[in-house]
Amino acid sequence: MHNLVIDIGNTNSKLAIFDEKMLVHYQILKEIEPAVLISLIQKYKVKNSSVSIVREDLQEVIDVLESHTNYIPFSTKINTGIKNYYQTLSTLGLDRWAKVIAAHSCYPGQNSLMIDAGTCITYDLLSNDNKYFGGSISLGIDMRFKALHHFTGKLPLVEWQQEAEIPKGTDTSSAIKNGVLQGVINEVEGFISSYNKENIGLTVLLTGGSAAFLLEQLKNSIFAPQIIHDPYLVLKGLNEVIAFEYVQKN
């Protein structure tokens, strides 16, 4: 049974096809074309589908899925066995909730801190007894560079490469890079250290577009417990939702 799941973010969309729990296809797209979806559905004989969307302008994607698959609407009302204490479910991001569901299924019985370094940086904790209270939302790396440029009169908009080393602040451009990147690292280390003190055997799950950069910076950190780079966390959560709903109906 093949499932098609899509994580539509603020910047890119991630698409995956699972055969049960096995990932058989994955790609990142700037825009999702209906023709591409239909082609994949036919090629892999997709039966079920679900989507995590943070934007409101993609009804045509849902229309395709409803027409060609058993489409399962995803919402924060779907719960696979998590004790959810978040006070405003209507404002809880679907991508955040999908990551919690993935941690619950893929890393059971563990204190799991999910750090998603994308447009924003989000921190969410699922305790080893399956309790979720929420977390934190911070500015993403690109957003920090843009904010420095936008809200000042003279600071330039600086681009950065994930593979490059963090420079010393010997001129304005390198000072911005150092401040933003080292600031993010200090923030992430601080969150990890705080959560690690309060949660025994903490597992940190890194995902998002800047996760590889953070993983490289954190690998020698004295604050870091077990760190796992899982770029498919949201997609795994959506796939678990499909499996859960299928069992509920049958």
Side-chain angles (χ1 to χ4, degrees), residues 6-12 14 51-55 74-76 89 91-103 114-124 132 137 207-208 232-238:
I6 308 172
D7 172 23
I8 301 176
N10 291 299
T11 305
N12 294 314
K14 299 176 182 178
V51 181
S52 169
I53 300 179
V54 299
R55 289 156 36 201
F74 177 52
S75 76
T76 53
L89 282 181
T91 64
L92 174 60
L94 293 180
D95 54 339
R96 292 176 67 194
W97 184 233
K99 289 190 287 283
V100 176
I101 291 174
M114 290 142 277
I115 302 177
D116 190 337
T119 302
C120 296
I121 302 177
T122 59
Y123 304 84
D124 291 283
Y132 173 68
I137 303 173
T207 193
Y232 314 115
L233 206 56
V234 174
L235 299 169
K236 287 179 179 179
L238 292 171

Side-chain angles (χ1 to χ4, degrees), residues 6-15 27-33 36 55 57-58 61 119 142 146:
I6 308 172
D7 172 23
I8 301 176
N10 291 299
T11 305
N12 294 314
S13 296
K14 299 176 182 178
L15 179 151
Q27 65 186 107
I28 299 175
L29 301 169
K30 281 291 183 183
E31 299 291 339
I32 298 181
E33 300 292 338
V36 172
R55 289 156 36 201
D57 58 342
L58 292 162
V61 172
T119 302
D142 289 337
K146 291 176 181 176

